[in-house]
Amino acid sequence: TVQSLFGIQESSLSSSSKDSGASVIFSKLFANWTSALFYIIAEVYSSVSVGILFWQYANDVVPVSQAKRFYPLFAQMSGLAPILAGQYVVRYASRAKDFGESLHRLTWMVTFSGVMICLFYKWSNDYIEKVAILE
């Protein structure tokens, strides 16, 4: 078992034990490694993949000659999203009667934002294709 791997006795894993050393914590983490891996991957995916998708789109839209001009603006504007999201939660979602209504408000805003991003992507790609045809 995992406990024998780390040299931990069964009595030290009970909740009434005062021993809460790192070896006990790591053995519990190792015993539930699938759940721990799921949460780590979920955090990494949300942070990394959205950034990669955005910069890939920026590379497609902005020519190399204009990159020095626009990339600092993109980087500055990316800091605005958490501020706006926090203001939305404080001013609108947190004033709901109960948790269910608050969750509905948050879900509606995430859905609305996703639809707007998709529409912006479509409109900007249509514009880029139209400009490319004219040139």
Side-chain angles (χ1 to χ4, degrees), residues 2-3 5-9 12-13 17-31:
V2 175
Q3 289 82 13
L5 179 68
F6 287 105
I8 300 169
Q9 297 175 350
S12 67
L13 292 176
S17 174
K18 293 182 181 179
D19 184 21
S20 62
S23 59
V24 174
I25 294 170
F26 282 121
S27 68
K28 289 180 180 181
L29 185 66
F30 190 70

Side-chain angles (χ1 to χ4, degrees), residues 116-129:
M116 293 306 295
I117 289 170
C118 291
L119 288 173
F120 174 74
Y121 182 79
K122 181 191 179 318
W123 291 332
S124 62
N125 276 336
D126 290 347
Y127 176 76
I128 291 169
E129 289 175 4

Side-chain angles (χ1 to χ4, degrees), residues 82-104:
I83 295 170
L84 293 176
Q87 290 299 316
Y88 173 77
V89 169
V90 167
R91 296 181 189 274
Y92 187 66
S94 65
R95 296 179 190 228
K97 291 182 284 187
D98 58 356
F99 180 72
E101 184 180 341
S102 176
L103 194 59
H104 282 103

Side-chain angles (χ1 to χ4, degrees), residues 104-118:
H104 282 103
R105 290 180 179 187
L106 290 172
T107 303
W108 181 85
M109 185 51 79
V110 168
T111 304
F112 176 75
S113 299
V115 168
M116 293 306 295
I117 289 170
C118 291

